[in-house]
Amino acid sequence: MLIAHQLGLSPRLLPLSIRFQPGQVTHLIGPNGSGKSTLLHLLSGLGTPEHGQVSIQDTAIAGLRRQDLAHLRGYLIQQQKPAFVMAVYEYLNLVIDSLQLGQVSARDAVVRRVCQSLSIDDKLHRRVDSLSGGEWQRVRLAGVLLQVDRQLNPQASVLLLDEPATGLDVAQQEAIYAEITHAAKQGLCVVMANHDLNRSLTHADNVVLLNQGRMVASGAPRDVLSDTRLSDVFATPLVQVSTAYGPVIVRVGEQADLNPPR
């Protein structure tokens, strides 16, 4: 379990308390500047809060060594350039070796599965500085997923992701969300910032809506993503519409296009 108790960093995030449950995916949503990245940074233990504390499995993370923290949680920040010039397989091995994760046989099977799932298995010998933005994003995500994979790291409890699907095409996004679901099924608390409201509606177990550093609401997606609340927070008229494929959030006036007359 991941717990934030009266966690705050003025003025970017006003004190809030929330529990994130194992095995569940929580989406942080809200306009730009609402506090999503700040909350993730504080939850990761890399940021220092002005108020409150964060604990993972009843252990306060303040003061933990970076190595110990890295065994408890993985954290994908929004943007990060390669720190060193190396091949993709060297980058992934660096993640595994630095944390001394898993036996060799288990490593190979998990690395193969993750790389195939994210379609980077044909890029393992490419230099990281030669990758496109989308390719590098998937390689970074692969590294974080390996860090917290329960087969390699039984201590792992939390996966934090800051807009992991940014800049990816539809197929790549599907692969990423499948891996996020897999991580949750392993028993991890997954908390991710997200801008796609419709993806939050269908993918998240829970949603936390932030605005101007304040937690507006949290709970089940259909409850939190109400017409009135979303329209108010995003300052644009939005409505949740039922379709043959499930609920969809659209701007008011666009809903007629979803069910054209026969």
Side-chain angles (χ1 to χ4, degrees):
M1 182 181 293
L2 173 65
I3 300 174
H5 178 68
Q6 288 298 304
L7 191 67
L9 182 62
S10 181
R12 289 179 287 170
L13 187 70
L14 301 180
L16 60 81
S17 295
I18 189 167
R19 292 171 178 252
F20 302 97
Q21 299 294 335
Q24 294 189 346
V25 178
T26 298
H27 283 201
L28 308 179
I29 63 172
N32 289 336
S34 59
K36 301 184 297 294
S37 293
T38 298
L39 177 55
L40 285 173
H41 195 59
L42 295 179
L43 291 174
S44 76
L46 298 183
T48 303
E50 215 171 41
H51 310 281
Q53 68 171 20
V54 177
S55 59
I56 298 176
Q57 303 289 48
D58 298 325
T59 299
I61 64 174
L64 284 180
R65 295 186 310 152
R66 287 290 180 92
Q67 186 81 356
D68 295 331
L69 192 57
H71 276 97
L72 291 176
R73 64 95 186 99
Y75 176 36
L76 182 79
I77 64 175
Q78 194 171 127
Q79 295 180 345
Q80 181 184 43
K81 294 182 179 180
F84 305 99
V85 175
M86 63 183 75
V88 170
Y89 77 88
E90 292 175 316
Y91 173 82
L92 298 179
N93 280 333
L94 184 64
V95 173
I96 294 172
D97 291 341
S98 65
L99 297 176
Q100 301 178 331
L101 301 179
Q103 300 298 317
V104 173
S105 58
R107 286 185 185 189
D108 291 345
V110 174
V111 170
R112 189 179 308 112
R113 185 195 66 75
V114 170
C115 290
Q116 288 176 349
S117 175
L118 298 179
S119 299
I120 60 171
D121 49 326
D122 61 340
K123 299 171 177 60
L124 294 177
H125 290 280
R126 292 261 305 275
R127 287 179 16 156
V128 293
D129 61 335
S130 74
L131 301 175
S132 70
E135 290 168 341
W136 172 233
Q137 178 81 338
R138 283 178 283 148
V139 168
R140 291 201 304 130
L141 180 62
V144 175
L145 291 172
L146 293 174
Q147 177 187 344
V148 297
D149 189 280
R150 282 282 180 85
Q151 287 183 261
L152 303 181
N153 179 13
Q155 297 181 55
S157 298
V158 174
L159 175 61
L160 305 172
L161 305 167
D162 199 347
E163 298 185 29
T166 297
L168 302 183
D169 64 34
V170 174
Q172 293 165 354
Q173 288 183 26
E174 288 297 327
I176 280 183
Y177 280 101
E179 282 299 312
I180 291 170
T181 298
H182 177 78
K185 287 181 177 178
Q186 287 188 316
L188 298 177
C189 297
V190 181
V191 185
M192 57 179 284
N194 183 53
H195 270 299
D196 187 338
L197 298 178
N198 284 305
R199 183 68 75 166
S200 294
L201 195 59
T202 58
H203 178 256
D205 296 301
N206 298 288
V207 170
V208 176
L209 178 60
L210 299 169
N211 190 28
Q212 297 180 347
R214 178 174 60 91
M215 184 168 68
V216 176
S218 66
R222 288 202 186 191
D223 296 334
V224 173
L225 301 175
S226 67
D227 302 349
T228 302
R229 192 175 283 130
L230 288 180
S231 298
D232 180 57
V233 167
F234 287 94
T236 191
L238 298 171
V239 61
Q240 192 178 134
V241 180
S242 296
T243 74
Y245 303 101
V248 176
I249 296 170
V250 297
R251 286 176 54 87
V252 170
E254 295 177 346
Q255 64 264 41
D257 299 332
L258 298 176
N259 295 295
R262 297 180 179 178

